[in-house]
Amino acid sequence: MNDPVVLSELRRRLAEAEETLNAIREGEVDALVIGEGGVDEVFAIGGDTESYRTFMEAMDTGAAAVDEDGRVLYANSALCRLIDHPLPTLQGKPLVSFFDARAAAEIGQMVGKTANQREKVEISLKDAATKMAQVFLVSAKPVRLGLVQGHAVTFTDLTERVRSETAERAERIAAAIIASANEIVVVCDRVGMITHANSAASAIYDGDLIGKMFEDAIPLTFTDAPDLMSGGALIDLALNGQARQGIEAIATRAPKVKDYLISAAPLQVTEDQISGCVLTMVDLSQRKAAEHQQLLLMRELDHRVRNTLALVLSISNRTLSNEDTLQGFHQAFTQRIHGLAATHSLLAKQGWTKLSLHDIVRAELAPYVETDGTRLRLEGGEVALIPRAAIALGLIFHELATNAVKYGALSREGGHVLVAVRGPTADGAAMRVDWVESGGPMVSPPQRKGFGHTVISHSLAYSSKGGTDLSFPPEGVICALRIPMEDIP
């Protein structure tokens, strides 16, 4: 012990101990805090804990001191308000008994540990006054209070931070949804100024919409909403809490598409306050085009039905005038209507666009011969025909086939029909097609010309370039048809 350094250190420590003892005797020290092994030990001097309570009361966060069994020794006012219990009710009771099962399990697990490290966990509590959920970070650290081993527990309110993070996340999600939408989405504030617009909005405004008044940037006129005079009126309705959906409007200054289906709804960020409105605009150009096409089709259908009815009426009248008996009229009229229906069925399958000459011939002769057999032969290339020519040729081939079955080549075995596409006429105005019968009985010109002859002669006469030449050589009937080139697409 003769080492001067060691003796000096002992004297220094003795002086500190004497100074501390004097301070304790004078009442200048309330407690001693001794850290050993990572654990802070608090030793109260003279049993006075008022200074610690004052310190805890000054804290904004809820705080409590619990013993080793988790019973409350003291809790500050912030924690009492949080769990809606006064201090006398809390003292001596387990801290976890004032929380719901989930929070109690989390807190109980922390204060039940004897490890020296600080434990933290997030819990959700319901505010006693507002009944709204709040999020807290609960921290528990082992401490010694005098001779008592326990934990200091604090409750830090994270509600605003969590709400802010949730709002930011929701805003990012909303922005992503708006950006990915195919239709135009525009968000306006309470004065009608555009705050958000997705990329689809470029179809309605050539430039940046942000910061512009909606009514000025996207002027609208409404055709089916008499209560709306402008886009501003639609926004006013939304700002007053009245959503409107599916209103047709015309964007008068849009560079491309001008017809839109517009919906507007209030934008409520909080439950009780409308902060703006959201407008969606759906392109109606395709629907308008479809409606226009449908109108044209309806008009075309009406025109065709009228023509067909007129043709049926004409067939009925002319058949009646050429038949001597009711049975004869019924048979002839029915056959002609069936022939007309066969061509109409083929046109319907093709969408009333065009029809093959060979298909018409096969359809009209199908009731009488096997169209893929030896009695019917088709020569020449396929010829496509528009509807008016297809209907006319259907009538002509029906009359030729009926006549062939009754009197011509198809009236007995060994008779044949040739339908040959010869090519354009000399002037190029028509396509020459011949009907040639052979192998049937001897043919002679008819003594009188009936309705069938009229149908054959006049069905293609709607054009000066069309027509037929019917001849009766002994070996079989020949009908030369001229189909106007304008009817061959």
Side-chain angles (χ1 to χ4, degrees):
M1 297 293 293
N2 295 325
D3 189 335
V5 176
V6 174
L7 290 174
S8 176
E9 178 63 21
L10 290 174
R11 291 190 186 100
R12 185 187 66 77
R13 291 184 180 182
L14 179 61
E16 287 181 354
E18 290 177 351
E19 184 180 355
T20 301
L21 290 173
N22 289 331
I24 292 174
R25 292 191 192 99
E26 298 295 328
E28 296 175 355
V29 177
D30 296 322
L32 294 177
V33 180
I34 301 175
E36 181 178 358
V39 179
D40 294 332
E41 297 187 10
V42 181
F43 295 92
I45 306 301
D48 182 12
T49 60
E50 188 63 30
S51 58
Y52 313 125
R53 296 183 180 186
T54 301
F55 174 74
M56 292 177 68
E57 286 297 332
M59 297 173 64
D60 294 330
T61 59
V66 299
D67 62 16
E68 59 185 354
D69 296 320
R71 293 188 296 266
V72 177
L73 299 176
Y74 182 75
N76 66 356
S77 299
L79 182 60
C80 292
R81 288 192 300 270
L82 173 64
I83 58 180
D84 197 27
H85 284 282
L87 179 60
T89 305
L90 297 175
Q91 286 180 315
K93 304 288 179 57
L95 178 64
V96 296
S97 65
F98 298 96
F99 297 91
D100 60 41
R102 183 174 180 179
E106 298 279 6
I107 296 171
Q109 188 176 11
M110 290 193 302
V111 299
K113 291 183 177 180
T114 58
N116 296 332
Q117 70 271 20
R118 184 186 297 272
E119 297 286 334
K120 297 180 180 180
V121 67
E122 286 189 13
I123 64 172
S124 179
L125 302 175
K126 183 176 290 187
D127 184 87
T130 64
K131 306 301 181 183
M132 296 180 62
Q134 294 180 293
V135 180
F136 289 87
L137 177 66
V138 182
S139 175
K141 180 174 176 59
V143 296
R144 183 181 295 278
L145 302 171
L147 300 176
V148 178
Q149 176 69 41
H151 285 80
V153 185
T154 59
F155 296 76
T156 304
D157 192 349
L158 302 180
T159 305
E160 289 303 320
R161 191 191 78 184
V162 171
R163 287 176 181 172
S164 177
E165 291 174 351
T166 302
E168 290 179 4
R169 184 165 58 253
E171 185 171 353
R172 288 195 300 269
I173 293 173
I177 293 173
I178 291 174
S180 61
N182 292 326
E183 65 270 13
I184 296 172
V185 181
V186 177
V187 181
C188 296
D189 62 14
R190 288 196 58 82
V191 297
M193 180 180 292
I194 298 172
T195 59
H196 297 80
N198 64 351
S199 58
S202 60
I204 200 169
Y205 185 83
D206 189 12
D208 188 6
L209 282 168
I210 308 303
K212 294 180 172 58
M213 300 299 292
F214 180 89
E215 189 170 13
D216 296 335
I218 311 175
L220 302 172
T221 58
F222 301 92
T223 55
D224 298 327
D227 59 324
L228 296 175
M229 301 300 294
S230 65
L234 182 62
I235 291 176
D236 290 340
L237 288 174
L239 292 175
N240 288 323
Q242 302 179 45
R244 296 293 295 268
Q245 294 181 340
I247 304 172
E248 290 194 21
I250 299 173
T252 55
R253 296 184 192 168
K256 297 178 181 177
V257 178
K258 296 185 180 296
D259 294 302
Y260 289 92
L261 192 69
I262 300 181
S263 299
L267 177 62
Q268 291 183 275
V269 178
T270 59
E271 294 183 359
D272 57 349
Q273 184 177 3
I274 297 175
S275 58
C277 67
V278 179
L279 298 100
T280 58
M281 304 177 67
V282 180
D283 181 358
L284 288 183
S285 58
Q286 292 185 353
R287 197 186 85 176
K288 289 291 184 180
E291 289 176 352
H292 179 68
Q293 180 66 18
Q294 184 180 30
L295 180 61
L296 292 178
L297 290 174
M298 291 300 295
R299 289 176 178 173
E300 179 66 18
L301 178 62
D302 179 66
H303 175 70
R304 288 175 181 172
V305 169
R306 288 175 182 272
N307 287 346
T308 302
L309 291 175
L311 181 58
V312 170
L313 183 60
S314 175
I315 292 173
S316 174
N317 291 334
R318 297 300 296 272
T319 303
L320 182 61
S321 64
N322 285 272
E323 295 294 334
D324 298 328
T325 65
L326 183 60
Q327 182 179 1
F329 164 77
H330 178 269
Q331 183 178 1
F333 179 71
T334 301
Q335 289 177 349
R336 284 170 177 151
I337 295 303
H338 284 167
L340 180 64
T343 305
H344 273 247
S345 296
L346 290 176
L347 283 169
K349 291 179 181 178
Q350 298 297 323
W352 283 84
T353 53
K354 57 185 178 179
L355 202 57
S356 163
L357 173 68
H358 289 176
D359 286 343
I360 299 172
V361 174
R362 292 188 186 99
E364 297 300 340
L365 270 71
Y368 312 112
V369 297
E370 294 183 8
T371 56
D372 56 352
T374 60
R375 305 195 69 185
L376 173 64
R377 191 166 83 252
L378 302 174
E379 288 185 358
E382 282 278 16
V383 178
L385 303 167
I386 65 173
R388 71 171 183 175
I391 293 173
L393 288 171
L395 293 172
I396 292 172
F397 287 132
H398 171 75
E399 295 299 332
L400 290 170
T402 302
N403 185 75
V405 170
K406 289 181 178 180
Y407 315 109
L410 300 181
S411 64
R412 67 182 186 184
E413 293 295 330
H416 305 277
V417 172
L418 167 66
V419 177
V421 179
R422 304 300 190 189
T425 56
D427 59 2
M431 178 69 69
R432 170 77 179 271
V433 177
D434 289 345
W435 168 286
V436 182
E437 297 182 25
S438 62
M442 296 290 290
V443 174
S444 61
Q447 297 299 316
R448 70 182 183 92
K449 297 178 180 179
F451 179 55
H453 187 280
T454 303
V455 171
I456 295 170
S457 301
H458 292 84
S459 292
L460 287 172
Y462 56 79
S463 170
S464 60
K465 301 170 185 177
T468 57
D469 295 317
L470 191 60
S471 60
F472 302 91
E475 58 272 17
V477 173
I478 297 176
C479 182
L481 300 95
R482 297 184 304 278
I483 305 172
M485 282 296 187
E486 62 199 52
D487 291 348
I488 302 175

